[in-house]
């Protein structure tokens, strides 16, 4: 397929590379110049990347970035023909996803929200899980691409439901990471050996895939970002807004 991939960050670069490896014709764009994917063409604007594409895949930082990439100056939406599909793997507002879909529908363009879980390693190893919202027939068309970049695509419901489920899941992930970090800090202060604590965690009811993923990084003292804290803070803000609770203070 002819695919435009917009956003080559921690996740997007590997996702686009896996599409190239599978034999698809991929054109990329990234906000910060200089990032490229071997075997893919690079474009200066989202509009140029999307020209002639059957599918446009987004993986950018937040709601404003998605809106700008699609509808801003040199946005991708203006280059697409009716029948094209836009799949958004960014984590953004569910209501914004529905709004974007309504605007694109006027142009005959389908939209699917497809945020992911699996982190940087999952993107590199093509083991991501896609959390999908959209019309069933459109999701079915994207299934071969999901399977190139990941191991599973879970169709949650209509447009926006993928983002809603991702926020609910990320709330749990944030709490688990926070608890793990605080527990590890307390154990160190009380003289509990790290490996003993790890063995206890793995043997008990608090065993967690999230913690098991992070343990090797803690052992190596590798604190390079798999998911920057600023993006989790952004997701928590989205959770609060979606629940009509309150805004975080600056």
């Amino acid at each position: 397929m002819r695919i435009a991939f917009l956003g080559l960050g921690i996740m997007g670069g590997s996702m686009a590379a896996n599409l190239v490896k599978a034999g698809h014709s991929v054109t990329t764009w990234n906000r910060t110049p200089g990032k490229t994917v071997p075997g893919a063409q690079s474009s200066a604007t989202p509009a140029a990347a999307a020209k002639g594409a059957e599918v446009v895949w987004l993986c950018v930082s937040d709601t404003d970035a998605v809106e700008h990439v699609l509808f801003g100056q040199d946005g991708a939406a203006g280059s697409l023909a009716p029948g094209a599909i836009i799949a958004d793997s960014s984590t953004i507002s569910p209501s914004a996803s529905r709004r974007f879909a309504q605007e694109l529908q006027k142009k005959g363009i389908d939209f699917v929200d497809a945020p992911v879980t699996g982190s940087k390693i999952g993107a590199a190893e093509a083991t991501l899980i896609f959390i999908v919202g959209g019309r069933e027939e459109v999701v079915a068309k994207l299934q071969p691409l999901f399977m190139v970049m990941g191991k599973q695509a879970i169709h949650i419901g209509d447009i926006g439901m993928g983002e809603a489920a991702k926020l609910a899941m990320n709330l749990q992930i944030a709490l688990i990471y926070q608890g793990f970090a605080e527990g590890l800090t307390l154990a160190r202060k009380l003289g509990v050996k790290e490996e003993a604590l790890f063995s206890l965690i793995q043997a008990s009811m608090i065993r967690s895939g999230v913690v098991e993923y992070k343990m090797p990084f803690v052992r190596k003292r590798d604190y390079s970002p798999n998911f920057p804290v600023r993006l989790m803070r952004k997701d928590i803000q989205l959770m609060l807004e979606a629940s009509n609770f309150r805004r975080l203070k600056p």
Side-chain angles (χ1 to χ4, degrees):
M1 297 180 73
R2 298 187 304 278
I3 303 167
F5 203 103
L6 312 180
L8 303 178
I10 290 175
M11 308 290 286
S14 293
M15 294 166 70
N18 286 327
L19 290 170
V20 172
K21 290 175 186 176
H24 296 285
S25 175
V26 180
T27 303
T28 65
W29 169 86
N30 192 63
R31 180 181 60 183
T32 304
K35 288 189 176 181
T36 60
V37 172
Q41 295 184 355
S42 299
S43 292
T45 66
K51 188 174 182 180
E54 300 168 85
V55 175
V56 173
W57 215 287
L58 279 72
C59 192
V60 295
S61 58
D62 55 30
T63 303
D64 288 344
V66 172
E67 185 165 23
H68 179 74
V69 167
L70 290 179
F71 304 112
Q73 185 177 4
D74 294 321
S79 292
L80 294 175
I85 301 172
I86 293 176
D88 182 21
S89 285
S90 318
T91 300
I92 68 168
S93 160
S95 60
S97 289
R98 290 189 285 269
R99 176 165 54 86
F100 298 157
Q102 290 169 358
E103 188 64 29
L104 292 163
Q105 191 175 36
K106 297 175 185 177
K107 304 174 181 290
I109 300 168
D110 286 304
F111 181 90
V112 167
D113 54 299
V116 297
T117 183
S119 197
K120 179 169 66 174
I121 292 176
E125 297 181 354
T127 57
L128 294 172
I129 298 173
F130 290 86
I131 310 162
V132 188
R135 293 194 295 121
E136 189 170 346
E137 58 270 32
V138 180
V139 174
K141 291 178 182 177
L142 295 175
Q143 194 66 26
L145 302 183
F146 289 137
M147 293 302 97
V148 164
M149 295 181 284
K151 63 180 180 180
Q152 190 174 5
I154 301 175
H155 188 194
I156 302 296
D158 292 336
I159 293 164
M161 289 298 99
E163 297 291 359
K166 175 67 186 293
L167 292 181
M169 189 186 70
N170 268 18
L171 173 58
Q172 297 171 72
I173 289 174
L175 294 172
I176 294 168
Y177 272 145
Q178 181 72 16
F180 177 49
E182 295 291 352
L184 186 58
T185 300
L186 177 62
R188 286 173 176 167
K189 286 184 176 181
L190 296 178
V192 177
K193 292 183 179 180
E194 189 174 273
E195 286 301 325
L197 180 65
F198 288 171
S199 296
L200 175 61
I201 289 171
Q202 290 176 307
S204 70
M205 289 180 66
I206 63 169
R207 182 176 181 175
S208 164
V210 173
V211 173
E212 289 185 352
Y213 172 84
K214 205 65 179 177
M215 280 181 185
F217 295 96
V218 174
R219 287 188 176 105
K220 294 184 293 184
R221 302 298 187 262
D222 177 2
Y223 301 119
S224 57
N226 283 259
F227 185 76
V229 172
R230 62 180 174 81
L231 293 183
M232 182 57 82
R233 188 183 191 281
K234 177 263 298 182
D235 289 355
I236 292 172
Q237 180 66 68
L238 291 172
M239 296 166 200
L240 294 173
E241 292 172 352
S243 64
N244 293 319
F245 185 55
R246 63 176 177 82
R247 294 189 62 85
L248 289 176
K249 293 180 180 180

